């Protein structure tokens, strides 16, 4: 696969099994993120998209959300050098304006520092929802029609893509969901039309390179069909 996307699920259950706070599960999941990025870069993937924080996650307890935002800033700062050494480019999509100012500043700074790299794209989906992306794309489309920079008669699936958060990012070939849940959780609803899906029972904090390789092997054993 060229582009792999991951729904990183199971942090809370991992922590609950150990009678730890939920944030402990998120912190434990950092090593899984690190291992997955390293393995993906080593395999030569073009892009890796991680579903980091959904729009629905804003409804979680304030203490947990604040902790997650602080933690995100810490991870960006601590992982920057390794991302740079691996020639990784960083992108982020979602309603990023909802992020706390400090977190957004750190994100923008890290993206800028890595902008000269030429390797794998690490795409962080933050404050993201698949339906929201389609709604936001429709709003941009309507504005373009109103401004007469786009003709409504020219609209098709290909032209609609230009209004998505990152129109240049290819659709995922493979989606991996951890923790055994059989749902998309409002992730990449436009992009996953023909994506192969692999679900693993492994909780995200336990996910490592061998789990990624197992999912890719399963993907390689399938016959991809587009539209049938």
């Amino acid at each position: 696969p060229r582009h792999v996307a991951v729904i990183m699920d199971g942090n809370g259950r991992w922590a609950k099994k150990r009678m730890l706070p939920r944030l402990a599960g998120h912190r434990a999941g950092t090593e899984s993120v690190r291992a997955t990025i390293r393995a993906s870069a080593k395999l030569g993937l073009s892009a890796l998209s991680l579903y980091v924080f959904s729009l629905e996650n804003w409804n979680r307890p304030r203490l947990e959300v604040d902790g997650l935002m602080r933690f995100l800033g810490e991870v960006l700062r601590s992982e920057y050098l390794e991302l740079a050494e691996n020639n990784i480019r960083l992108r982020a999509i979602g309603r990023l304006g909802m992020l706390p100012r400090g977190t957004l500043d750190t994100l923008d700074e890290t993206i800028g520092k890595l902008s000269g790299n030429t390797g794998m794209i690490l795409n962080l989906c933050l404050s993201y929802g698949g339906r929201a992306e389609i709604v936001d794309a429709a709003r941009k489309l309507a504005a373009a029609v109103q401004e007469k920079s786009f003709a409504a008669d020219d609209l098709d699936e290909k032209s609609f893509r230009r209004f998505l958060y990152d129109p240049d990012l290819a659709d995922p070939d493979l989606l991996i969901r951890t923790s055994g849940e059989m749902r998309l959780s409002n992730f990449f609803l436009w992009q996953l039309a023909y994506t192969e899906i692999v679900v693993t029972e492994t909780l995200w904090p336990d996910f490592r390179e061998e789990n990624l390789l197992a999912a890719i092997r399963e993907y390689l054993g399938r016959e991809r069909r587009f539209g049938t």
Side-chain angles (χ1 to χ4, degrees):
R2 297 160 299 164
H3 180 186
V4 173
V6 185
I7 298 177
M8 307 180 296
D9 193 22
N11 292 336
R13 270 168 283 176
W14 185 93
K16 185 177 180 180
K17 285 170 63 176
R18 292 159 177 78
M19 294 183 288
L20 296 170
R22 287 179 63 90
L23 279 175
H26 295 301
R27 289 192 175 276
T30 305
E31 184 55 41
S32 303
V33 171
R34 187 179 296 116
T36 302
I37 294 172
R38 285 174 181 167
S40 298
K42 185 168 64 175
L43 289 168
L45 298 187
S46 298
L48 173 67
S49 290
L50 301 179
Y51 199 9
V52 178
F53 191 87
S54 72
L55 277 174
E56 291 78 14
N57 287 157
W58 290 113
N59 297 321
R60 291 185 176 182
R62 180 64 181 271
L63 187 63
E64 181 181 352
V65 171
D66 289 348
L68 282 169
M69 290 298 110
R70 286 194 302 272
F71 182 48
L72 174 59
E74 292 171 12
V75 170
L76 288 169
R77 287 187 291 269
S78 65
E79 299 301 315
Y80 161 71
L81 286 178
E82 181 163 347
L83 294 176
E85 289 169 2
N86 284 284
N87 195 30
I88 290 172
R89 292 171 284 171
L90 183 64
R91 295 185 188 175
I93 61 171
R95 291 182 175 173
L96 303 179
M98 296 175 67
L99 299 175
R101 185 74 255 171
T103 303
L104 185 57
D105 287 346
T106 301
L107 177 63
D108 288 341
E109 181 182 357
T110 308
I111 290 173
K113 286 180 178 179
L114 298 171
S115 61
N117 291 348
T118 58
M120 184 185 79
I121 294 169
L122 173 60
N123 179 43
L124 304 182
C125 301
L126 293 161
S127 191
Y128 176 86
R131 288 181 174 179
E133 179 174 18
I134 294 170
V135 167
D136 289 347
R139 286 174 176 162
K140 287 188 282 186
L141 167 62
V145 170
Q146 189 173 26
E147 295 164 1
K148 298 185 177 179
S149 61
F150 184 82
D153 289 343
D154 294 334
L155 180 62
D156 56 19
E157 290 182 16
K158 184 176 180 180
S159 61
F160 184 79
R161 187 180 189 87
R162 65 183 271 196
F163 299 102
L164 297 176
Y165 290 144
D166 191 341
D168 297 326
L169 189 66
D171 292 343
D173 301 294
L174 169 63
L175 170 69
I176 302 170
R177 174 155 193 155
T178 60
S179 85
E181 297 293 341
M182 297 289 188
R183 59 179 181 272
L184 294 179
S185 296
N186 197 18
F187 182 54
F188 273 176
L189 298 184
W190 178 273
Q191 295 88 339
L192 294 179
Y194 297 110
T195 299
E196 294 295 321
I197 301 173
V198 172
V199 176
T200 173
E201 294 291 332
T202 305
L203 300 178
W204 178 247
D206 296 323
F207 193 89
R208 292 295 184 270
E209 179 177 353
E210 58 267 25
N211 303 103
L212 175 65
L213 294 175
I216 290 176
R217 281 195 295 271
E218 183 172 340
Y219 164 86
L220 293 173
R222 296 181 183 179
E223 178 185 355
R224 295 193 73 186
R225 296 176 179 171
F226 297 89
T228 59

